[in-house]
Amino acid sequence: MSDHPLASSDPAPAPSPADAVTPRRRVLSGMRPTGAMHLGHWHGALKNWVRLQDEYECFFFAADWHALTTHYEEREVIETSVYEMVTDWLAAGLDPDKVTLFIQSRLPEHAELFTLLAMGTPLGWLERMPTYKDQIERLKDRDLATYGFLGYPLLQAADILIYKANFVPVGVDQAPHVEITREVARRFNHLYGREPDFDELVRAALKKLGKDRAKEFEAARHAYRESGDVAALERGRAIIAASGSLGGADRERLDGHLRGTGKTILVEPDVLLTETSKLVGLDGTKMSKSYGNAIAMREDPVEVERKIRRMPTDPARVHRSDSGDPEKCPVWQFHKVYSDDETKAWVVHGCTTAAIGCLDCKQPLIEAIIREQAPWRERAEPYLTNPKRVHWIVEVGTERARTVARETMREVREAMGLSY
Ligand code: TRP
Ligand code: SF4
């Protein structure tokens, strides 16, 4: 206790428990740079990223190497696309004081981890990826029979594992890539997460538990390993936790022994499935700049109005007096994302009874989209007048990311016997 007169009369505020306890869980995600973002990006991913930034420690990056796996002949587009994309991330409301924004190719550490992981990754894991065959089919005009394209998911695994991310917010199409990331991490920990004399050290640690407890522990381990019995895993862990004679290193060894992995060097991430409202393109197919059916996030309001007014509608409504079916109309898909229940009811009734025309129907959408865009335009303004600000934000983010990536690589090299 201090006897300073001020100490008792003016106590410092107690640190809030949130500051003191566990660090925030880490989120990582990336996007291939495709230039200015459109409304599909906003509703499908960005909106969610903005939400996550307050709750998690977030790392978001431009996956420019991944862009090269499919577009390796188009070097001109990459640089402008990266900065246009990041400008729209900022416009969307990502706060550079809260999140770390960076560029994949600026961190050769990703490539190093990719190379090291490649050594032990069975070819079959990559060949079996659903995205692999799909894309080769879909992008028939490109030659994707490349080594880089086959390695796409493994490069993604390196992106994720190097930050020890707990969560990866992606759409369902990317879920298999997070799954393979888990497998890669598990295999890595199994292969390299053990000290050379692991078995001996485990035996010594078991001795410290005492005969009876060690027996119970081994029984729990067998039960867990044979049938994946989670209760058995918990029993084993409870024994470790209850033991007074084990140090930290021994606890970790026994936990690895119990689960059949080594020490956790690389963290298995979970998918954070984006609860999104999927927004289709103007023609009802997937929104994509290359299909010419997109509205950019910072599209000029006059253009927004023109594009919406030209949207195709239910082909049955040839004349104003013909009734229609919203389910056959892409405009209705937009209402599902943008309109409240009252407006939606107005659309359904008006369309099926021909009480409203298609231009009437589109008007509230035009207004809703222009309203949604206003803050984006405002936030983008300072970055557009001074693009160096974006470069600077990326610079700072890249160095922050590098600190983490370097530390992981140090552990990885050491685990693999490469730290000489
Ligand atoms: N493959 C992702 C996509 O096409 C982009 C990506 C690359 C990514 N590396 C990642 C996403 C790591 C999440 C985590 O959208
Ligand atoms: Fe589509 Fe609306 Fe026209 Fe119906 S009234 S066809 S929902 S634009």
Side-chain angles (χ1 to χ4, degrees):
M1 268 261 126
S2 164
D3 56 4
H4 190 279
L6 287 180
S8 54
S9 61
D10 188 15
S16 93
D19 297 336
V21 218
T22 46
R24 282 187 306 164
R25 310 267 272 159
R26 193 172 282 164
V27 156
L28 172 121
S29 197
M31 266 193 223
R32 283 170 292 178
T34 50
M37 301 274 94
H38 56 58
L39 297 183
H41 293 118
W42 164 253
H43 289 286
L46 272 180
K47 187 164 60 175
N48 193 44
W49 288 12
V50 172
R51 244 192 324 242
L52 293 169
Q53 70 181 341
D54 292 310
E55 202 178 326
Y56 298 97
E57 183 191 6
C58 291
F59 286 75
F60 299 123
F61 71 99
D64 52 351
W65 282 339
H66 277 105
L68 285 172
T69 61
T70 51
H71 292 65
Y72 50 85
E73 292 157 306
E74 297 168 31
R75 63 173 176 188
E76 317 76 37
V77 296
I78 298 232
E79 183 178 352
T80 39
S81 296
V82 164
Y83 288 109
E84 277 174 9
M85 177 170 81
V86 176
T87 302
D88 278 343
W89 290 358
L90 296 164
L94 286 182
D95 178 345
D97 291 332
K98 291 182 185 157
V99 302
T100 298
L101 304 179
F102 65 97
I103 299 175
Q104 182 185 37
S105 65
R106 293 287 306 283
L107 289 140
E109 289 83 354
H110 289 223
E112 183 183 359
L113 185 56
F114 173 58
T115 300
L116 293 178
L117 295 175
M119 304 308 170
T121 301
L123 262 187
W125 287 9
L126 296 166
E127 287 165 343
R128 275 197 297 272
M129 281 282 113
T131 44
Y132 181 60
K133 293 207 170 88
D134 277 10
Q135 290 279 90
I136 285 187
E137 270 301 299
R138 205 133 35 107
L139 303 175
K140 271 221 170 79
D141 54 323
R142 293 173 197 278
D143 183 6
L144 292 183
T146 60
Y147 176 57
F149 189 63
L150 179 67
Y152 188 112
L154 191 62
L155 178 58
Q156 185 161 350
D159 296 337
I160 298 167
L161 295 174
I162 207 163
Y163 300 102
K164 302 190 177 184
N166 305 105
F167 299 109
V168 184
V170 284
V172 268
D173 60 312
Q174 294 288 312
H177 293 170
V178 180
E179 192 46 49
I180 196 180
T181 303
R182 298 172 59 84
E183 279 165 41
V184 167
R186 214 172 301 146
R187 189 177 170 87
F188 185 94
N189 293 334
H190 179 71
L191 289 175
Y192 307 113
R194 304 152 178 271
E195 299 125 303
D197 46 356
F198 183 76
D199 293 338
E200 242 167 77
L201 291 165
V202 163
R203 240 175 286 133
L206 284 171
K207 267 211 186 104
K208 291 185 200 165
L209 280 180
K211 221 184 193 158
D212 291 346
R213 302 250 81 190
K215 230 190 203 156
E216 266 176 64
F217 182 80
E218 287 294 89
R221 181 173 74 91
H222 283 296
Y224 173 61
R225 299 289 286 281
E226 262 152 42
S227 53
D229 179 358
V230 183
L233 175 67
E234 290 310 319
R235 264 201 315 282
R237 288 194 157 152
I239 294 171
I240 301 174
S243 159
S245 47
L246 293 174
D250 277 339
R251 287 169 193 274
E252 207 165 76
R253 280 180 199 117
L254 286 185
D255 194 67
H257 179 55
L258 178 63
R259 290 182 302 139
T261 66
K263 164 171 145 197
T264 302
I265 299 168
L266 299 179
V267 174
E268 290 180 41
D270 283 308
V271 184
L272 204 58
L273 273 183
T274 317
E275 48 147 300
T276 49
S277 28
K278 230 194 170 97
L279 186 68
V280 297
L282 293 163
D283 57 359
T285 68
K286 184 178 153 69
M287 188 180 282
S288 161
K289 194 158 61 176
S290 54
Y291 301 162
N293 64 359
I295 297 180
M297 280 179 63
R298 288 179 292 105
E299 189 94 49
D300 193 85
V302 177
E303 265 304 287
V304 171
E305 175 156 14
R306 197 185 63 90
K307 284 186 172 178
I308 299 285
R309 289 175 74 95
R310 287 194 180 178
M311 266 178 92
T313 60
D314 177 358
R317 295 205 71 181
V318 182
H319 305 290
R320 168 71 174 72
S321 53
D322 297 329
S323 62
D325 175 2
E327 287 305 336
K328 295 184 180 141
C329 177
V331 176
W332 173 239
Q333 299 304 317
F334 272 59
H335 275 293
K336 281 188 185 164
V337 172
Y338 280 98
S339 300
D340 57 19
D341 290 344
E342 197 187 329
T343 312
K344 282 189 282 197
W346 170 78
V347 170
V348 172
H349 177 262
C351 180
T352 52
T353 61
I356 59 169
C358 289
L359 286 178
D360 303 325
C361 181
K362 290 169 170 181
Q363 194 52 37
L365 276 181
I366 295 171
E367 286 161 22
I369 293 173
I370 292 176
R371 206 175 321 122
E372 179 182 55
Q373 289 177 315
W376 300 336
R377 222 171 275 120
E378 199 172 304
R379 274 194 293 257
E381 181 56 33
Y383 299 116
L384 296 173
T385 44
N386 188 0
K388 280 224 170 69
R389 292 175 70 151
V390 182
H391 290 237
W392 179 245
I393 286 166
V394 168
E395 214 55 40
V396 170
T398 298
E399 292 316 312
R400 264 209 302 254
R402 198 185 308 284
T403 310
V404 179
R406 267 203 184 135
E407 176 54 24
T408 304
M409 283 320 296
R410 202 189 48 71
E411 289 173 55
V412 164
R413 280 188 220 111
E414 176 162 327
M416 290 183 76
L418 291 167
S419 50
Y420 41 81

